[in-house]
């Protein structure tokens, strides 16, 4: 009994680690569909060794423990990942309501499947594949079939990630507001630079002018030059 308890504890730890690792990856990349398909396929493959009753794989404790822990690692994250997906797709619906419906639905289906799986476990089916020629329990066949149905359904799933799209728009708007907030200072700096450049050009033009008989002649006249010329003429008058 102690060994069974330790195996169950290891299975729960594997679920926790899978949720942290795989779930964190999905949070960063938003690859809900691809990761879920991988997890479902891996779970369907890893559950098969647990149901083999006569094959060497089904009678090797180390291999069974590895299959059990790996099953927890890949099957555990499926529920939290898809709870997050449901919230993303159903946006702007209330997150708590969406996750509650998903959780209640999952628990209800699981509760209904328990007596069906217990009854199926009493039956053994002959597996004629040469590498795994053995009897296999009916509950494993049932769970593998459910995993195949879920995988097929999920292959055709294609819904927009509305919350992710809304967050991207918000980020773009925030960046635009930040640019607008800094634009007055940028405009002031540009104005000062243009004024300084114009003053330098006027000074250069003035230095090239020649004064003849109290008048100023220049091929290039600017507003500043004209004002300076008029001021000089008034003083001489």
């Amino acid at each position: 009994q102690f060994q069974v308890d330790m195996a169950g504890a290891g299975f729960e730890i594997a679920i926790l680690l899978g949720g942290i690792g795989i779930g964190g990856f999905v949070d960063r990349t938003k690859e809900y569909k691809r990761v879920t398909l991988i997890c479902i396929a891996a779970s369907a493959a890893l559950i098969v060794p647990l149901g083999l009753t006569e094959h060497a794989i089904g009678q090797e404790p180390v291999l069974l423990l590895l299959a059990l822990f790996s099953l927890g690692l890949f099957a555990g994250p499926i529920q939290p990942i898809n709870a997050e997906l449901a919230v993303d797709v159903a946006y702007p619906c209330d997150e708590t309501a969406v996750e509650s419906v998903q959780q209640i639905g999952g628990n209800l289906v699981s509760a209904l499947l328990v007596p069906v799986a217990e009854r199926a476990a009493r039956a053994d089916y002959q597996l004629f594949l040469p590498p795994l020629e053995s009897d296999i329990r009916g509950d494993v066949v049932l769970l593998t079939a459910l995993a195949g149905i879920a995988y097929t359904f999920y292959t055709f799933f294609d819904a927009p990630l509305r919350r992710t799209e809304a967050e991207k728009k918000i980020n773009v708007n925030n960046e635009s507001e930040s640019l607008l907030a800094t634009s007055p200072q940028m405009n002031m700096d540009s104005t000062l630079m243009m004024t300084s450049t114009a003053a330098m050009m006027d000074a250069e033009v003035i230095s090239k002018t020649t004064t003849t008989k109290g008048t100023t002649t220049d091929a290039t006249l600017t507003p500043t030059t004209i004002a300076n010329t008029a001021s000089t003429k008034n003083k001489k008058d």
Side-chain angles (χ1 to χ4, degrees), residues 41-205:
S43 300
L46 290 168
I47 200 175
V48 172
L50 302 178
L52 299 177
T53 56
E54 295 180 359
H55 195 271
I57 295 178
Q59 298 177 355
E60 183 61 41
V62 176
L63 295 177
L64 289 177
L65 287 176
L66 289 176
L68 180 65
F69 296 157
S70 299
L71 177 63
L73 189 68
F74 286 99
I78 294 177
Q79 192 275 333
I81 287 174
N82 286 273
E84 189 70 17
L85 173 61
V87 172
D88 206 331
V89 171
Y91 181 86
C93 295
D94 182 68
E95 295 185 8
T96 304
V98 173
E99 292 186 354
S100 297
V101 171
Q102 195 261 4
Q103 188 70 38
I104 293 172
N107 292 340
L108 178 61
V109 173
S110 297
L112 294 176
L113 283 176
V114 169
V116 178
E118 288 180 350
R119 185 169 182 177
R122 302 171 187 170
D124 285 341
Y125 297 92
Q126 187 70 31
L127 191 64
F128 293 102
L129 298 178
L132 300 175
E133 189 173 359
S134 172
D135 287 343
I136 187 170
R137 295 201 315 270
D139 56 343
V140 173
V141 174
L142 173 65
L143 295 177
T144 304
L146 290 175
I149 294 172
Y151 186 93
T152 302
F153 170 80
Y154 219 102
T155 301
F156 298 98
F157 176 81
D158 186 17
L161 304 179
R162 296 177 180 174
R163 188 181 65 177
T164 300
E165 294 175 356
E167 290 176 351
K168 290 180 179 179
K169 292 180 180 178
I170 292 173
N171 292 334
V172 170
N173 292 335
N174 290 338
E175 292 178 359
S176 300
E177 291 177 358
S178 299
L179 292 174
L180 290 175
T182 58
S183 60
Q185 183 64 35
M186 295 174 62
N187 291 337
M188 184 178 297
D189 294 341
S190 300
T191 303
L192 292 175
M193 184 177 295
M194 292 174 64
T195 303
S196 177
T197 303
M200 293 176 63
M201 292 175 64
D202 287 348
E204 183 178 354
V205 170

Side-chain angles (χ1 to χ4, degrees), residues 201-220:
M201 292 175 64
D202 287 348
E204 183 178 354
V205 170
I206 292 172
S207 65
K208 292 181 179 180
T209 59
T210 58
T211 304
T212 305
K213 296 181 180 180
T215 60
T216 302
T217 304
D218 187 4
T220 304

